[in-house]
Amino acid sequence: MPDLKTFAVIGDSRGIGEAIRLQLLERGHRVIGVSRTGVTTAHENYQSLIFDAVAHPCDLSNFAASLNGLVYCPGTIRLKPLKGLKREHFLEEFEVNALGAVQTLQSNAKLLQNADAASVVLFSTVAVQTGMPYHTSIAMAKGAVEGLTRSLAAEWAPKVRVNAIAPSLTDTSLAEPMLSNDAKREAAAARHPLQTVGSAAGLASLATWLLGSEAAFVTGQIYAADGGIGSLRK
């Protein structure tokens, strides 16, 4: 029997968060899912909470005595030239990607510390380390997430590990406008040395590895899962 652990997945109703939830449940763990819409599914190890973790602190102390891991998945994609970006665009992206993560971690720090060992997984973007046109607002917000990852990894060591994943374009509903037809999909794939875009299941596999004991010696890292676009030229 697997060692039953409790994980919180913030933003588990779709995309990468949904894939992470499914993979953790398949491994026999308990999952507390938090999303604005909730998830209708029957599973003895799953509890779905309807909650806007971006707008309000998401305290899970009424649902668990400790957390072995927490994943924060909410994100945005707003690709515009700088001249088309307004103040509220920058603020919205920062609130969703960075401040939402901060207040979720603040609210559940004690639960993570209560576990024998715990892991946090956040999400950045390849556009932080690789300059890309029209990515100004999201790269700024995710840059804050990378700073949070490294700073908190130092602050919470050795009890809690903190890492982030920096994907390139991934086939989820959030990216649907950029992958809405065959021509767009082929063009997006061609920009990557591996000639494909990311999959939710593939990103989830990396996240579940970072959550588990196999990654017990890993903290403060930003993992590029970007099809090679951030470091290779073809």
PDB file of all heavy atoms in Angstrom, residues 21-52:
ATOM      1  N   ARG A  21      -4.091  16.637 -10.021  1.00  0.00           N
ATOM      2  CA  ARG A  21      -5.068  15.976  -9.138  1.00  0.00           C
ATOM      3  C   ARG A  21      -5.244  14.513  -9.506  1.00  0.00           C
ATOM      4  O   ARG A  21      -5.191  13.629  -8.646  1.00  0.00           O
ATOM      5  CB  ARG A  21      -6.413  16.694  -9.216  1.00  0.00           C
ATOM      6  CG  ARG A  21      -7.559  15.858  -8.647  1.00  0.00           C
ATOM      7  CD  ARG A  21      -8.872  16.563  -8.593  1.00  0.00           C
ATOM      8  NE  ARG A  21      -9.249  17.325  -9.742  1.00  0.00           N
ATOM      9  CZ  ARG A  21      -9.986  16.841 -10.755  1.00  0.00           C
ATOM     10  NH1 ARG A  21     -10.353  15.576 -10.781  1.00  0.00           N
ATOM     11  NH2 ARG A  21     -10.342  17.636 -11.756  1.00  0.00           N
ATOM     12  N   LEU A  22      -5.442  14.240 -10.775  1.00  0.00           N
ATOM     13  CA  LEU A  22      -5.691  12.870 -11.234  1.00  0.00           C
ATOM     14  C   LEU A  22      -4.478  11.973 -10.970  1.00  0.00           C
ATOM     15  O   LEU A  22      -4.636  10.823 -10.529  1.00  0.00           O
ATOM     16  CB  LEU A  22      -6.045  12.870 -12.714  1.00  0.00           C
ATOM     17  CG  LEU A  22      -7.374  13.528 -13.079  1.00  0.00           C
ATOM     18  CD1 LEU A  22      -7.539  13.600 -14.593  1.00  0.00           C
ATOM     19  CD2 LEU A  22      -8.542  12.791 -12.449  1.00  0.00           C
ATOM     20  N   GLN A  23      -3.288  12.493 -11.193  1.00  0.00           N
ATOM     21  CA  GLN A  23      -2.092  11.678 -10.975  1.00  0.00           C
ATOM     22  C   GLN A  23      -1.869  11.382  -9.491  1.00  0.00           C
ATOM     23  O   GLN A  23      -1.475  10.269  -9.118  1.00  0.00           O
ATOM     24  CB  GLN A  23      -0.869  12.361 -11.584  1.00  0.00           C
ATOM     25  CG  GLN A  23      -0.881  12.351 -13.111  1.00  0.00           C
ATOM     26  CD  GLN A  23       0.401  12.879 -13.717  1.00  0.00           C
ATOM     27  OE1 GLN A  23       1.437  12.973 -13.049  1.00  0.00           O
ATOM     28  NE2 GLN A  23       0.364  13.220 -15.002  1.00  0.00           N
ATOM     29  N   LEU A  24      -2.131  12.361  -8.633  1.00  0.00           N
ATOM     30  CA  LEU A  24      -1.983  12.123  -7.191  1.00  0.00           C
ATOM     31  C   LEU A  24      -3.004  11.111  -6.689  1.00  0.00           C
ATOM     32  O   LEU A  24      -2.678  10.242  -5.869  1.00  0.00           O
ATOM     33  CB  LEU A  24      -2.122  13.443  -6.432  1.00  0.00           C
ATOM     34  CG  LEU A  24      -0.975  14.445  -6.604  1.00  0.00           C
ATOM     35  CD1 LEU A  24      -1.332  15.775  -5.960  1.00  0.00           C
ATOM     36  CD2 LEU A  24       0.320  13.892  -6.014  1.00  0.00           C
ATOM     37  N   LEU A  25      -4.235  11.205  -7.176  1.00  0.00           N
ATOM     38  CA  LEU A  25      -5.262  10.242  -6.770  1.00  0.00           C
ATOM     39  C   LEU A  25      -4.923   8.844  -7.267  1.00  0.00           C
ATOM     40  O   LEU A  25      -5.133   7.848  -6.563  1.00  0.00           O
ATOM     41  CB  LEU A  25      -6.630  10.675  -7.292  1.00  0.00           C
ATOM     42  CG  LEU A  25      -7.237  11.913  -6.627  1.00  0.00           C
ATOM     43  CD1 LEU A  25      -8.513  12.342  -7.345  1.00  0.00           C
ATOM     44  CD2 LEU A  25      -7.526  11.656  -5.143  1.00  0.00           C
ATOM     45  N   GLU A  26      -4.375   8.751  -8.466  1.00  0.00           N
ATOM     46  CA  GLU A  26      -3.969   7.444  -9.000  1.00  0.00           C
ATOM     47  C   GLU A  26      -2.892   6.807  -8.140  1.00  0.00           C
ATOM     48  O   GLU A  26      -2.807   5.576  -8.059  1.00  0.00           O
ATOM     49  CB  GLU A  26      -3.460   7.616 -10.433  1.00  0.00           C
ATOM     50  CG  GLU A  26      -4.552   7.869 -11.460  1.00  0.00           C
ATOM     51  CD  GLU A  26      -3.985   8.190 -12.825  1.00  0.00           C
ATOM     52  OE1 GLU A  26      -2.736   8.208 -12.969  1.00  0.00           O
ATOM     53  OE2 GLU A  26      -4.779   8.428 -13.749  1.00  0.00           O
ATOM     54  N   ARG A  27      -2.082   7.625  -7.492  1.00  0.00           N
ATOM     55  CA  ARG A  27      -1.016   7.118  -6.632  1.00  0.00           C
ATOM     56  C   ARG A  27      -1.508   6.837  -5.209  1.00  0.00           C
ATOM     57  O   ARG A  27      -0.733   6.478  -4.335  1.00  0.00           O
ATOM     58  CB  ARG A  27       0.145   8.114  -6.602  1.00  0.00           C
ATOM     59  CG  ARG A  27       0.949   8.140  -7.900  1.00  0.00           C
ATOM     60  CD  ARG A  27       1.758   9.414  -8.046  1.00  0.00           C
ATOM     61  NE  ARG A  27       2.654   9.386  -9.184  1.00  0.00           N
ATOM     62  CZ  ARG A  27       2.271   9.518 -10.458  1.00  0.00           C
ATOM     63  NH1 ARG A  27       0.982   9.667 -10.740  1.00  0.00           N
ATOM     64  NH2 ARG A  27       3.157   9.487 -11.437  1.00  0.00           N
ATOM     65  N   GLY A  28      -2.799   7.010  -4.984  1.00  0.00           N
ATOM     66  CA  GLY A  28      -3.389   6.648  -3.699  1.00  0.00           C
ATOM     67  C   GLY A  28      -3.355   7.724  -2.649  1.00  0.00           C
ATOM     68  O   GLY A  28      -3.614   7.451  -1.466  1.00  0.00           O
ATOM     69  N   HIS A  29      -3.065   8.975  -3.031  1.00  0.00           N
ATOM     70  CA  HIS A  29      -2.988  10.054  -2.062  1.00  0.00           C
ATOM     71  C   HIS A  29      -4.336  10.750  -1.887  1.00  0.00           C
ATOM     72  O   HIS A  29      -5.241  10.623  -2.717  1.00  0.00           O
ATOM     73  CB  HIS A  29      -1.937  11.070  -2.498  1.00  0.00           C
ATOM     74  CG  HIS A  29      -0.564  10.510  -2.602  1.00  0.00           C
ATOM     75  ND1 HIS A  29       0.084   9.908  -1.536  1.00  0.00           N
ATOM     76  CD2 HIS A  29       0.301  10.427  -3.657  1.00  0.00           C
ATOM     77  CE1 HIS A  29       1.285   9.495  -1.910  1.00  0.00           C
ATOM     78  NE2 HIS A  29       1.433   9.796  -3.188  1.00  0.00           N
ATOM     79  N   ARG A  30      -4.444  11.507  -0.818  1.00  0.00           N
ATOM     80  CA  ARG A  30      -5.621  12.350  -0.592  1.00  0.00           C
ATOM     81  C   ARG A  30      -5.370  13.715  -1.215  1.00  0.00           C
ATOM     82  O   ARG A  30      -4.272  14.276  -1.072  1.00  0.00           O
ATOM     83  CB  ARG A  30      -5.884  12.510   0.902  1.00  0.00           C
ATOM     84  CG  ARG A  30      -7.103  13.387   1.205  1.00  0.00           C
ATOM     85  CD  ARG A  30      -7.210  13.718   2.675  1.00  0.00           C
ATOM     86  NE  ARG A  30      -8.344  14.603   2.914  1.00  0.00           N
ATOM     87  CZ  ARG A  30      -8.402  15.514   3.872  1.00  0.00           C
ATOM     88  NH1 ARG A  30      -7.405  15.654   4.715  1.00  0.00           N
ATOM     89  NH2 ARG A  30      -9.480  16.276   4.010  1.00  0.00           N
ATOM     90  N   VAL A  31      -6.371  14.249  -1.905  1.00  0.00           N
ATOM     91  CA  VAL A  31      -6.234  15.540  -2.565  1.00  0.00           C
ATOM     92  C   VAL A  31      -7.368  16.459  -2.143  1.00  0.00           C
ATOM     93  O   VAL A  31      -8.543  16.080  -2.172  1.00  0.00           O
ATOM     94  CB  VAL A  31      -6.248  15.394  -4.106  1.00  0.00           C
ATOM     95  CG1 VAL A  31      -6.179  16.778  -4.766  1.00  0.00           C
ATOM     96  CG2 VAL A  31      -5.082  14.538  -4.581  1.00  0.00           C
ATOM     97  N   ILE A  32      -6.997  17.667  -1.735  1.00  0.00           N
ATOM     98  CA  ILE A  32      -7.969  18.739  -1.510  1.00  0.00           C
ATOM     99  C   ILE A  32      -7.833  19.687  -2.687  1.00  0.00           C
ATOM    100  O   ILE A  32      -6.795  20.317  -2.882  1.00  0.00           O
ATOM    101  CB  ILE A  32      -7.685  19.485  -0.193  1.00  0.00           C
ATOM    102  CG1 ILE A  32      -7.688  18.523   0.992  1.00  0.00           C
ATOM    103  CG2 ILE A  32      -8.709  20.599   0.013  1.00  0.00           C
ATOM    104  CD1 ILE A  32      -7.201  19.146   2.283  1.00  0.00           C
ATOM    105  N   GLY A  33      -8.875  19.762  -3.506  1.00  0.00           N
ATOM    106  CA  GLY A  33      -8.848  20.614  -4.684  1.00  0.00           C
ATOM    107  C   GLY A  33      -9.595  21.909  -4.429  1.00  0.00           C
ATOM    108  O   GLY A  33     -10.678  21.913  -3.848  1.00  0.00           O
ATOM    109  N   VAL A  34      -9.006  23.008  -4.858  1.00  0.00           N
ATOM    110  CA  VAL A  34      -9.619  24.326  -4.676  1.00  0.00           C
ATOM    111  C   VAL A  34      -9.747  24.991  -6.042  1.00  0.00           C
ATOM    112  O   VAL A  34      -8.760  25.106  -6.774  1.00  0.00           O
ATOM    113  CB  VAL A  34      -8.772  25.209  -3.744  1.00  0.00           C
ATOM    114  CG1 VAL A  34      -9.398  26.594  -3.609  1.00  0.00           C
ATOM    115  CG2 VAL A  34      -8.610  24.557  -2.376  1.00  0.00           C
ATOM    116  N   SER A  35     -10.958  25.395  -6.389  1.00  0.00           N
ATOM    117  CA  SER A  35     -11.174  26.112  -7.647  1.00  0.00           C
ATOM    118  C   SER A  35     -12.406  26.986  -7.523  1.00  0.00           C
ATOM    119  O   SER A  35     -13.204  26.832  -6.599  1.00  0.00           O
ATOM    120  CB  SER A  35     -11.342  25.125  -8.814  1.00  0.00           C
ATOM    121  OG  SER A  35     -12.502  24.349  -8.646  1.00  0.00           O
ATOM    122  N   ARG A  36     -12.566  27.884  -8.461  1.00  0.00           N
ATOM    123  CA  ARG A  36     -13.721  28.789  -8.418  1.00  0.00           C
ATOM    124  C   ARG A  36     -15.012  28.097  -8.829  1.00  0.00           C
ATOM    125  O   ARG A  36     -16.098  28.548  -8.464  1.00  0.00           O
ATOM    126  CB  ARG A  36     -13.471  29.996  -9.325  1.00  0.00           C
ATOM    127  CG  ARG A  36     -12.425  30.954  -8.793  1.00  0.00           C
ATOM    128  CD  ARG A  36     -12.192  32.100  -9.743  1.00  0.00           C
ATOM    129  NE  ARG A  36     -11.619  31.631 -11.002  1.00  0.00           N
ATOM    130  CZ  ARG A  36     -11.368  32.416 -12.052  1.00  0.00           C
ATOM    131  NH1 ARG A  36     -11.652  33.701 -11.983  1.00  0.00           N
ATOM    132  NH2 ARG A  36     -10.833  31.928 -13.148  1.00  0.00           N
ATOM    133  N   THR A  37     -14.899  27.006  -9.571  1.00  0.00           N
ATOM    134  CA  THR A  37     -16.095  26.323 -10.078  1.00  0.00           C
ATOM    135  C   THR A  37     -16.369  25.002  -9.387  1.00  0.00           C
ATOM    136  O   THR A  37     -17.488  24.495  -9.434  1.00  0.00           O
ATOM    137  CB  THR A  37     -15.958  26.065 -11.580  1.00  0.00           C
ATOM    138  OG1 THR A  37     -14.774  25.284 -11.825  1.00  0.00           O
ATOM    139  CG2 THR A  37     -15.845  27.378 -12.336  1.00  0.00           C
ATOM    140  N   GLY A  38     -15.364  24.418  -8.745  1.00  0.00           N
ATOM    141  CA  GLY A  38     -15.531  23.111  -8.127  1.00  0.00           C
ATOM    142  C   GLY A  38     -15.445  22.004  -9.154  1.00  0.00           C
ATOM    143  O   GLY A  38     -15.495  22.231 -10.361  1.00  0.00           O
ATOM    144  N   VAL A  39     -15.301  20.778  -8.655  1.00  0.00           N
ATOM    145  CA  VAL A  39     -15.189  19.597  -9.510  1.00  0.00           C
ATOM    146  C   VAL A  39     -16.199  18.567  -9.047  1.00  0.00           C
ATOM    147  O   VAL A  39     -16.261  18.237  -7.860  1.00  0.00           O
ATOM    148  CB  VAL A  39     -13.765  18.998  -9.446  1.00  0.00           C
ATOM    149  CG1 VAL A  39     -13.686  17.715 -10.272  1.00  0.00           C
ATOM    150  CG2 VAL A  39     -12.740  20.019  -9.930  1.00  0.00           C
ATOM    151  N   THR A  40     -17.009  18.076  -9.954  1.00  0.00           N
ATOM    152  CA  THR A  40     -18.000  17.051  -9.625  1.00  0.00           C
ATOM    153  C   THR A  40     -17.429  15.689  -9.967  1.00  0.00           C
ATOM    154  O   THR A  40     -17.411  15.266 -11.126  1.00  0.00           O
ATOM    155  CB  THR A  40     -19.312  17.280 -10.403  1.00  0.00           C
ATOM    156  OG1 THR A  40     -19.796  18.589 -10.113  1.00  0.00           O
ATOM    157  CG2 THR A  40     -20.357  16.254  -9.990  1.00  0.00           C
ATOM    158  N   THR A  41     -16.926  15.006  -8.989  1.00  0.00           N
ATOM    159  CA  THR A  41     -16.380  13.667  -9.187  1.00  0.00           C
ATOM    160  C   THR A  41     -16.432  12.929  -7.863  1.00  0.00           C
ATOM    161  O   THR A  41     -16.305  13.534  -6.789  1.00  0.00           O
ATOM    162  CB  THR A  41     -14.934  13.714  -9.710  1.00  0.00           C
ATOM    163  OG1 THR A  41     -14.477  12.394  -9.993  1.00  0.00           O
ATOM    164  CG2 THR A  41     -13.996  14.347  -8.702  1.00  0.00           C
ATOM    165  N   ALA A  42     -16.657  11.648  -7.932  1.00  0.00           N
ATOM    166  CA  ALA A  42     -16.746  10.835  -6.719  1.00  0.00           C
ATOM    167  C   ALA A  42     -15.445  10.053  -6.537  1.00  0.00           C
ATOM    168  O   ALA A  42     -15.107   9.205  -7.360  1.00  0.00           O
ATOM    169  CB  ALA A  42     -17.934   9.883  -6.811  1.00  0.00           C
ATOM    170  N   HIS A  43     -14.725  10.372  -5.494  1.00  0.00           N
ATOM    171  CA  HIS A  43     -13.500   9.640  -5.176  1.00  0.00           C
ATOM    172  C   HIS A  43     -13.300   9.730  -3.672  1.00  0.00           C
ATOM    173  O   HIS A  43     -13.363  10.812  -3.087  1.00  0.00           O
ATOM    174  CB  HIS A  43     -12.300  10.226  -5.906  1.00  0.00           C
ATOM    175  CG  HIS A  43     -11.102   9.333  -5.903  1.00  0.00           C
ATOM    176  ND1 HIS A  43     -10.390   9.035  -4.762  1.00  0.00           N
ATOM    177  CD2 HIS A  43     -10.494   8.646  -6.910  1.00  0.00           C
ATOM    178  CE1 HIS A  43      -9.389   8.228  -5.059  1.00  0.00           C
ATOM    179  NE2 HIS A  43      -9.431   7.977  -6.354  1.00  0.00           N
ATOM    180  N   GLU A  44     -13.057   8.609  -3.053  1.00  0.00           N
ATOM    181  CA  GLU A  44     -12.984   8.567  -1.594  1.00  0.00           C
ATOM    182  C   GLU A  44     -11.853   9.418  -1.028  1.00  0.00           C
ATOM    183  O   GLU A  44     -11.908   9.830   0.137  1.00  0.00           O
ATOM    184  CB  GLU A  44     -12.821   7.118  -1.133  1.00  0.00           C
ATOM    185  CG  GLU A  44     -11.551   6.428  -1.648  1.00  0.00           C
ATOM    186  CD  GLU A  44     -11.467   4.977  -1.190  1.00  0.00           C
ATOM    187  OE1 GLU A  44     -12.357   4.562  -0.429  1.00  0.00           O
ATOM    188  OE2 GLU A  44     -10.520   4.288  -1.607  1.00  0.00           O
ATOM    189  N   ASN A  45     -10.837   9.685  -1.831  1.00  0.00           N
ATOM    190  CA  ASN A  45      -9.688  10.452  -1.349  1.00  0.00           C
ATOM    191  C   ASN A  45      -9.686  11.899  -1.823  1.00  0.00           C
ATOM    192  O   ASN A  45      -8.684  12.597  -1.684  1.00  0.00           O
ATOM    193  CB  ASN A  45      -8.380   9.794  -1.796  1.00  0.00           C
ATOM    194  CG  ASN A  45      -8.096   8.506  -1.058  1.00  0.00           C
ATOM    195  OD1 ASN A  45      -8.678   8.241  -0.019  1.00  0.00           O
ATOM    196  ND2 ASN A  45      -7.220   7.690  -1.610  1.00  0.00           N
ATOM    197  N   TYR A  46     -10.808  12.349  -2.384  1.00  0.00           N
ATOM    198  CA  TYR A  46     -10.823  13.689  -2.977  1.00  0.00           C
ATOM    199  C   TYR A  46     -11.910  14.557  -2.371  1.00  0.00           C
ATOM    200  O   TYR A  46     -13.041  14.122  -2.165  1.00  0.00           O
ATOM    201  CB  TYR A  46     -11.041  13.592  -4.483  1.00  0.00           C
ATOM    202  CG  TYR A  46     -11.150  14.932  -5.178  1.00  0.00           C
ATOM    203  CD1 TYR A  46     -10.087  15.830  -5.171  1.00  0.00           C
ATOM    204  CD2 TYR A  46     -12.321  15.306  -5.838  1.00  0.00           C
ATOM    205  CE1 TYR A  46     -10.185  17.056  -5.794  1.00  0.00           C
ATOM    206  CE2 TYR A  46     -12.425  16.539  -6.471  1.00  0.00           C
ATOM    207  CZ  TYR A  46     -11.351  17.405  -6.443  1.00  0.00           C
ATOM    208  OH  TYR A  46     -11.456  18.620  -7.063  1.00  0.00           O
ATOM    209  N   GLN A  47     -11.532  15.809  -2.099  1.00  0.00           N
ATOM    210  CA  GLN A  47     -12.492  16.791  -1.614  1.00  0.00           C
ATOM    211  C   GLN A  47     -12.355  18.059  -2.445  1.00  0.00           C
ATOM    212  O   GLN A  47     -11.278  18.648  -2.537  1.00  0.00           O
ATOM    213  CB  GLN A  47     -12.250  17.116  -0.143  1.00  0.00           C
ATOM    214  CG  GLN A  47     -13.296  18.037   0.461  1.00  0.00           C
ATOM    215  CD  GLN A  47     -13.197  18.086   1.981  1.00  0.00           C
ATOM    216  OE1 GLN A  47     -12.226  17.635   2.562  1.00  0.00           O
ATOM    217  NE2 GLN A  47     -14.208  18.621   2.621  1.00  0.00           N
ATOM    218  N   SER A  48     -13.449  18.471  -3.087  1.00  0.00           N
ATOM    219  CA  SER A  48     -13.442  19.646  -3.935  1.00  0.00           C
ATOM    220  C   SER A  48     -14.047  20.838  -3.202  1.00  0.00           C
ATOM    221  O   SER A  48     -15.166  20.758  -2.696  1.00  0.00           O
ATOM    222  CB  SER A  48     -14.231  19.377  -5.223  1.00  0.00           C
ATOM    223  OG  SER A  48     -14.269  20.529  -6.041  1.00  0.00           O
ATOM    224  N   LEU A  49     -13.310  21.940  -3.139  1.00  0.00           N
ATOM    225  CA  LEU A  49     -13.775  23.153  -2.485  1.00  0.00           C
ATOM    226  C   LEU A  49     -13.958  24.256  -3.524  1.00  0.00           C
ATOM    227  O   LEU A  49     -13.100  24.459  -4.381  1.00  0.00           O
ATOM    228  CB  LEU A  49     -12.759  23.619  -1.437  1.00  0.00           C
ATOM    229  CG  LEU A  49     -12.324  22.593  -0.382  1.00  0.00           C
ATOM    230  CD1 LEU A  49     -11.299  23.221   0.550  1.00  0.00           C
ATOM    231  CD2 LEU A  49     -13.513  22.073   0.388  1.00  0.00           C
ATOM    232  N   ILE A  50     -15.090  24.935  -3.450  1.00  0.00           N
ATOM    233  CA  ILE A  50     -15.331  26.073  -4.325  1.00  0.00           C
ATOM    234  C   ILE A  50     -14.873  27.330  -3.603  1.00  0.00           C
ATOM    235  O   ILE A  50     -15.457  27.730  -2.593  1.00  0.00           O
ATOM    236  CB  ILE A  50     -16.817  26.174  -4.705  1.00  0.00           C
ATOM    237  CG1 ILE A  50     -17.258  24.921  -5.464  1.00  0.00           C
ATOM    238  CG2 ILE A  50     -17.062  27.406  -5.563  1.00  0.00           C
ATOM    239  CD1 ILE A  50     -18.734  24.907  -5.809  1.00  0.00           C
ATOM    240  N   PHE A  51     -13.799  27.927  -4.123  1.00  0.00           N
ATOM    241  CA  PHE A  51     -13.188  29.053  -3.419  1.00  0.00           C
ATOM    242  C   PHE A  51     -12.311  29.814  -4.397  1.00  0.00           C
ATOM    243  O   PHE A  51     -11.603  29.214  -5.215  1.00  0.00           O
ATOM    244  CB  PHE A  51     -12.337  28.529  -2.259  1.00  0.00           C
ATOM    245  CG  PHE A  51     -12.002  29.555  -1.220  1.00  0.00           C
ATOM    246  CD1 PHE A  51     -12.881  29.810  -0.181  1.00  0.00           C
ATOM    247  CD2 PHE A  51     -10.831  30.277  -1.296  1.00  0.00           C
ATOM    248  CE1 PHE A  51     -12.585  30.764   0.788  1.00  0.00           C
ATOM    249  CE2 PHE A  51     -10.520  31.232  -0.344  1.00  0.00           C
ATOM    250  CZ  PHE A  51     -11.409  31.474   0.693  1.00  0.00           C
ATOM    251  N   ASP A  52     -12.334  31.115  -4.343  1.00  0.00           N
ATOM    252  CA  ASP A  52     -11.471  31.939  -5.172  1.00  0.00           C
ATOM    253  C   ASP A  52     -10.218  32.281  -4.373  1.00  0.00           C
ATOM    254  O   ASP A  52     -10.202  33.232  -3.585  1.00  0.00           O
ATOM    255  CB  ASP A  52     -12.200  33.208  -5.607  1.00  0.00           C
ATOM    256  CG  ASP A  52     -11.411  34.006  -6.642  1.00  0.00           C
ATOM    257  OD1 ASP A  52     -10.194  33.780  -6.765  1.00  0.00           O
ATOM    258  OD2 ASP A  52     -12.012  34.863  -7.317  1.00  0.00           O
TER     259      ASP A  52
END
